[in-house]
Amino acid sequence: MLSIYWAVTTLSTVGYGDISAYTQLEMLLSILWMTFGLCFFSFMIGSLSSMLQSIDTKEVVLTNKLATIDEMSAELGLNADTK
């Protein structure tokens, strides 16, 4: 149990700090909380990344639509006031 606690604490970059687990139960609870924290943090970073990517996608779609409108107005010979 001690080696698993050490591995999870090291890989989760939580660190050892001033307060650490000494009994088997404390180690088990610490491992569970660190795992929960890692999953929650990973989910939040993934959601934020996905949200930022969708904003960028919407901007690209808008740019493409505006380019199409400009191209069509150039083909029809519309002046800048009509656009």
Side-chain angles (χ1 to χ4, degrees):
M1 179 65 86
L2 183 61
S3 60
I4 294 172
Y5 171 73
W6 177 84
V8 171
T9 304
T10 302
L11 292 175
S12 66
T13 66
V14 171
Y16 302 98
D18 296 334
I19 301 171
S20 59
Y22 294 107
T23 66
Q24 296 284 330
L25 180 61
E26 290 173 347
M27 288 182 197
L28 179 64
L29 290 175
S30 296
I31 289 169
L32 292 174
W33 274 114
M34 285 185 278
T35 304
F36 172 76
L38 283 171
C39 292
F40 180 75
F41 185 70
S42 299
F43 174 76
M44 293 305 291
I45 294 296
S47 296
L48 180 63
S49 174
S50 177
M51 183 181 69
L52 291 175
Q53 185 177 5
S54 71
I55 289 172
D56 188 43
T57 303
K58 289 177 185 177
E59 185 177 323
V60 168
V61 167
L62 178 63
T63 304
N64 288 341
K65 285 181 181 180
L66 290 173
T68 303
I69 291 171
D70 286 340
E71 182 181 326
M72 187 177 76
S73 64
E75 287 177 5
L76 294 175
L78 299 175
N79 59 13
D81 293 333
T82 310
K83 290 181 192 179

